[in-house]
Amino acid sequence: MRVITMREAIREAMIEEMKRDERVFLMGEEVAQYDGAYKVSKGMLKMFGPKRVIDTPISELGFAAIGIGAALNGLRPIVEFMTWNFALLAADQIINTAAKMLYMSGGQFNVPIVFRGPNGFAGQLSATHSQSFESMYGHVPGLKVVSPSNPYDAKGLLKSAIRDDDPVLFMEAEILYNDKGEVPEEEYLIPIGKAKIVREGNDVTIVSFNKTMKIVLEASDELTKEGISPEVIDLRTIRPMDYETVIESIKKTNRLVIVTENWPLANVGDELTYVVQKEAFDYLDAPVRCVTTADTPAPYSPSLLQIWFPSVKKVINAAKEVLYLL
Amino acid sequence: MYEGNVTIPEAPIKGEYSKEQYWEWLEIMLRIRRFEERAQIMYMQQKIRGFLHLYIGQEAVAAGTVSASRHSDPVIAGYREHGIALARGMSSRVAMAELFGKITGCSKGKGGSMHFFDKENNLYGGFAIVGAQIGVGAGLAFAEKYKGTDNACLTFFGDGAINQGILLETLNMSKLWMLPVLFIVENNQYAMGTAVWRASALYPQGGLYKIAEPFGIPAKQVNGMIVEEVHEAISEALEFIRGGGGPYFLEILTYRYRGHSMSDPGKYRTREELEEYKKRDPIERVKKTMLLKGFATEEDFKALEQKIKEEIDDAVQFAEESPFPPPEELYTDVYVQQDYPFLED
Ligand SMILES: Cc1ncc(C[n+]2csc(CCOP(=O)(O)OP(=O)(O)O)c2C)c(N)n1
Ligand SMILES: [Mg+2]
């Protein structure tokens, strides 16, 4: 099968959907003339012209609101945030407007919009540029939150997000954009809200999403070498969350480790843990473990950053602990 | 320096208006006033709860805007939006039922006073985060331009919203992209208890409309107690916008007679000031003009009062008799997706 980068996969999804539907357009900082801050939208201005690929000023709150207004009035915007850190300035529009319009209007006005951009840590960018927001936005009814880890999922999920009639927050990662993966030439869609079993195994279930999936897969290779058989699940969507797939897996492995790039308090893993203990209490043979970032802002120095972020070693240790091997 | 007593410019009325036009204005304004007065009573009887912000005093703004615009022009406003909704064509029944939290309300009882929405009448809310609707209004305008219509979005906000950052962001983008948006600040002199001149450094410079000028957006101050003036200013602005001139900004000077919401005793202003504005009441003024022009008699006014009273009585009865939303409504309208898996313990 054809191999392309995550960057290309995301671009392909946008191009295909813009060709398919006149109402879809892309707006954001540097998306047009500069080809995208991370070159995701490279060539799209040439392809679609300035009516549909629009450079905005640095006004996250304002252009998020304009996107929402356009969505209310018959269009289907894709709004790119240079990173989700900057989308904090637009949080009012995302949480107070996009998420609530349909409800407050008694079903009259839906907001078919996609907010997308890279999320979380991306090298030594320090505290304000290294945050991930799946748990914060996942908290909010009215939103859907997608956080893919590879080119295949990114393309199929983004196409679904653009066609979705509800607001979808699509969280990418700078350090995954160059990652390559198999993506078929033919069109396909991946439904929002379905996790994927990436590796089948029997001993311990390891759940993750987005860039920490890479750490999990590396850890899983190591564990396999040591004769341990992990089952790896990529959550892919945070809201709605696919508890079913995780619970079915636990019925087989009886052990769960969750790995996220969230801070520890109220992170995505906590919520999953709650549902698992409630629905599968009798199947658990060990306490659930969450491997997260440290409970601090992201540091700049490499010596600190290394211990701030989830590591292969931490994942291996957590897996061994729930297996009572450590 | 403006302090408290705001001078409201009174321009000579340019147009000649028909009898029908005056009757339309009077009916809209009277409907709003009587609706709001009844809403206040219903609030005191605890039929209406939460926040209730009345439009009394500002009726000419809604009436003059609606007569000067098309039904296909999208409208968006803040939480003091009952008047605009009624002027746009929402029925008193549906509006009152929303205040009562009934399923027959314009937003199925899920929005309440601050969230009137009406797709049929192109009313996009009803926003309760001060200023949030400004950017959304520009987005509605963006879509009109994208679709190639010559509709313009009427975007209402209060003098308090002038100080939100979203206004500057939106003024800038709407001019850059030449969006067909009419910004209308209803300057009723107060944001809750804060007089406008205490909150905006622009005010001593001549007015809030000054904020639009650096962006090259034409901007004007209008006397909002005179419906003809509102109509004329809005008509001129819309003609400019529809001609491809891009955004336009109006500061409409008006006054709210009641408190900010139902819990406001209004200690920040004097009784004299309030009485001064009541002397310029927009409804009384229109009635006087109509009598002068021979368009109506006192008898005609009484008949209109009676008709509206019956309409509001009927609206209250309708709201009373309508059911509250059933429990299953809690989970509808959160997502378009019908089988969304909500979490329930
Ligand atoms: C972002 C935000 N901050 C504060 C409030 C609380 N609040 C509600 S109305 C209001 C005053 C707004 O006044 P103005 O814009 O002049 O509108 P008016 O009430 O006069 O119609 C305030 C501070 C809010 N709803 N939203
Ligand atoms: Mg005010």
Side-chain angles (χ1 to χ4, degrees):
Chain A
M1 203 191 292
R2 178 181 69 137
V3 170
I4 61 173
T5 64
M6 184 110 161
R7 172 183 290 111
E8 288 161 338
I10 292 168
R11 183 188 309 143
E12 273 190 8
M14 292 196 286
I15 290 173
E16 285 176 20
E17 293 307 300
M18 283 177 67
K19 283 187 176 157
R20 178 178 173 268
D21 186 344
E22 273 289 316
R23 300 169 299 172
V24 181
F25 68 93
L26 172 66
M27 76 193 302
E29 291 159 20
E30 310 290 359
V31 298
Q33 292 201 10
Y34 192 76
D35 275 336
Y38 297 98
K39 306 301 167 205
V40 174
S41 55
K42 190 171 176 194
M44 287 179 66
L45 172 63
K46 220 180 207 163
M47 199 175 287
F48 296 102
K51 182 185 172 191
R52 299 181 68 198
V53 180
I54 303 159
D55 277 327
T56 67
I58 307 162
S59 304
E60 285 81 5
L61 178 63
F63 69 72
I66 290 178
I68 291 168
L72 289 170
N73 197 4
L75 304 185
R76 303 185 77 89
I78 305 168
V79 173
E80 176 174 313
F81 291 120
M82 198 176 282
T83 83
W84 277 97
N85 298 288
F86 316 140
L88 281 175
L89 284 107
D92 172 56
Q93 286 294 330
I94 296 170
I95 296 172
N96 276 324
T97 310
K100 314 266 192 299
M101 283 301 286
L102 187 67
Y103 203 71
M104 294 192 306
S105 70
Q108 294 180 80
F109 292 109
N110 65 314
V111 186
I113 196 168
V114 175
F115 293 106
R116 51 156 286 273
N119 182 52
F121 141 96
Q124 289 172 258
L125 298 179
S126 78
T128 66
H129 281 53
S130 308
Q131 307 169 88
S132 65
F133 295 97
E134 289 93 348
S135 52
M136 179 177 123
Y137 289 111
H139 192 56
V140 183
L143 301 178
K144 295 179 180 176
V145 180
V146 177
S147 193
S149 70
N150 62 76
Y152 177 83
D153 288 347
K155 183 174 178 189
L157 281 162
L158 183 54
K159 283 170 70 79
S160 294
I162 295 168
R163 292 186 199 185
D164 204 288
D165 287 329
D166 294 306
V168 181
L169 278 51
F170 198 84
M171 298 184 174
E172 302 158 14
E174 291 99 317
I175 58 175
L176 294 182
Y177 282 143
N178 278 334
D179 281 19
K180 291 187 172 161
E182 291 189 336
V183 175
E185 307 263 1
E186 325 64 78
E187 174 165 81
Y188 64 96
L189 295 168
I190 298 174
I192 290 172
K194 293 273 172 284
K196 180 163 79 177
I197 299 171
V198 179
R199 280 198 195 160
E200 291 197 32
N202 297 309
D203 296 336
V204 52
T205 300
I206 310 179
V207 176
S208 189
F209 52 90
N210 202 305
K211 75 172 80 74
T212 44
M213 273 303 294
K214 285 174 79 168
I215 290 169
V216 167
L217 289 174
E218 234 181 280
S220 145
D221 287 343
E222 291 299 315
L223 289 166
T224 309
K225 277 186 210 151
E226 295 184 36
I228 297 163
S229 157
E231 176 142 299
V232 179
I233 296 177
D234 186 345
L235 221 43
R236 302 197 292 189
T237 302
I238 307 308
R239 185 181 185 99
M241 204 181 286
D242 180 359
Y243 301 97
E244 199 60 33
T245 300
V246 177
I247 287 165
E248 284 313 305
S249 175
I250 286 162
K251 287 183 180 170
K252 185 168 62 169
T253 65
N254 312 109
R255 291 166 166 87
L256 175 62
V257 172
I258 305 163
V259 185
T260 73
E261 190 192 340
N262 297 158
W263 285 301
L265 196 142
N267 76 67
V268 168
D270 295 354
E271 161 59 21
L272 192 53
T273 303
Y274 169 74
V275 174
V276 164
Q277 63 81 30
K278 181 172 152 272
E279 302 294 333
F281 190 77
D282 291 340
Y283 292 95
L284 285 173
D285 286 346
V288 177
R289 293 292 305 276
C290 288
V291 180
T292 65
T293 66
D295 200 9
T296 69
Y300 167 70
S301 177
S303 66
L304 298 176
L305 190 58
Q306 211 176 17
I307 51 175
W308 178 78
F309 200 70
S311 65
V312 173
K313 183 109 191 65
K314 283 183 203 161
V315 176
I316 291 171
N317 285 350
K320 287 184 176 169
E321 279 173 27
V322 300
L323 284 158
Y324 299 111
L325 295 172
L326 277 188
Chain B
M1 176 100 167
Y2 291 89
E3 270 197 29
N5 276 334
V6 177
T7 39
I8 297 196
E10 222 170 292
I13 291 156
K14 290 183 215 132
E16 274 293 321
Y17 299 97
S18 67
K19 181 175 166 182
E20 289 69 35
Q21 181 61 76
Y22 275 100
W23 273 105
E24 185 199 336
W25 281 332
L26 181 63
E27 179 165 345
I28 288 174
M29 291 196 287
L30 212 54
R31 173 174 297 114
I32 296 170
R33 175 123 350 148
R34 300 296 174 245
F35 180 93
E36 295 288 64
E37 287 167 351
R38 190 68 68 86
Q40 182 169 17
I41 294 167
M42 292 299 113
Y43 194 90
M44 292 186 300
Q45 292 179 10
Q46 305 199 342
K47 299 285 185 191
I48 301 170
R49 310 299 297 261
F51 287 145
L52 177 68
H53 309 91
L54 301 177
Y55 200 65
I56 296 175
Q58 303 181 210
E59 295 90 343
V61 184
T65 300
V66 165
S67 62
S69 58
R70 297 178 191 152
H71 195 259
S72 55
D73 292 327
V75 179
I76 191 164
Y79 48 84
R80 199 180 296 285
E81 84 288 29
H82 305 170
I84 287 153
L86 292 169
R88 247 308 158 108
M90 183 183 290
S91 77
S92 301
R93 275 187 163 201
V94 164
M96 193 63 82
E98 187 61 32
L99 298 181
F100 276 54
K102 298 299 181 75
I103 186 82
T104 50
C106 60
S107 306
K108 288 164 69 179
K110 292 180 182 177
S113 165
M114 301 195 286
H115 303 300
F116 279 16
F117 289 84
D118 187 353
K119 196 163 199 171
E120 220 168 279
N121 287 310
N122 286 311
L123 173 67
Y124 288 79
F127 279 66
I129 301 297
V130 168
Q133 75 274 22
I134 298 170
V136 180
L140 296 170
F142 178 98
E144 294 296 339
K145 182 169 181 177
Y146 192 97
K147 292 186 278 191
T149 74
D150 67 345
N151 292 328
C153 178
L154 305 155
T155 302
F156 289 90
F157 48 99
D159 48 283
I162 280 281
N163 305 312
Q164 286 285 29
I166 194 167
L167 176 61
L168 293 176
E169 297 186 15
T170 306
L171 288 173
N172 183 50
M173 282 183 277
S174 64
K175 183 65 184 187
L176 275 176
W177 301 337
M178 295 298 273
L179 301 181
V181 54
L182 174 51
F183 298 102
I184 305 168
V185 52
E186 288 187 84
N187 179 1
N188 60 8
Q189 327 292 341
Y190 292 93
M192 294 183 69
T194 303
V196 59
W197 56 269
R198 293 207 298 128
S200 171
L202 286 167
Y203 216 62
Q205 327 273 341
L208 301 179
Y209 72 100
K210 293 277 179 191
I211 204 164
E213 289 180 345
F215 295 95
I217 297 173
K220 261 180 143 172
Q221 231 171 12
V222 185
N223 187 331
M225 305 308 265
I226 304 176
V227 70
E228 296 95 322
E229 278 204 36
V230 175
H231 177 95
E232 272 161 24
I234 302 270
S235 302
E236 206 179 291
L238 288 176
E239 200 181 302
F240 177 87
I241 295 168
R242 294 198 216 284
Y248 200 104
F249 191 103
L250 291 175
E251 175 185 1
I252 305 193
L253 294 159
T254 179
Y255 202 77
R256 65 165 157 74
Y257 295 178
R258 300 296 154 91
H260 167 73
S261 64
M262 300 307 290
S263 58
D264 169 18
K267 287 189 178 145
Y268 44 82
R269 61 182 180 189
T270 61
R271 177 157 288 281
E272 292 71 48
E273 180 184 305
L274 178 57
E275 292 311 317
E276 192 53 43
Y277 278 99
K278 283 187 177 172
K279 280 187 209 148
R280 311 178 198 172
D281 186 75
I283 296 178
E284 288 311 315
R285 184 178 180 115
V286 156
K287 280 168 133 180
K288 213 154 64 184
T289 309
M290 290 172 78
L291 288 173
L292 262 170
K293 287 186 185 275
F295 289 166
T297 63
E298 289 291 352
E299 283 308 304
D300 295 333
F301 294 150
K302 269 187 206 142
L304 180 64
E305 283 282 6
Q306 184 56 30
K307 178 183 133 177
I308 286 172
K309 184 184 176 304
E310 280 165 21
E311 180 187 317
I312 309 285
D313 286 345
D314 168 72
V316 168
Q317 193 184 346
F318 174 77
E320 284 277 13
E321 287 170 2
S322 293
F324 283 110
E328 57 272 22
E329 277 295 329
L330 186 61
Y331 286 100
T332 61
D333 309 322
V334 183
Y335 293 96
V336 175
Q337 181 186 342
Q338 289 303 302
D339 57 353
Y340 184 88
F342 291 100
L343 291 182
E344 277 179 278
D345 198 61

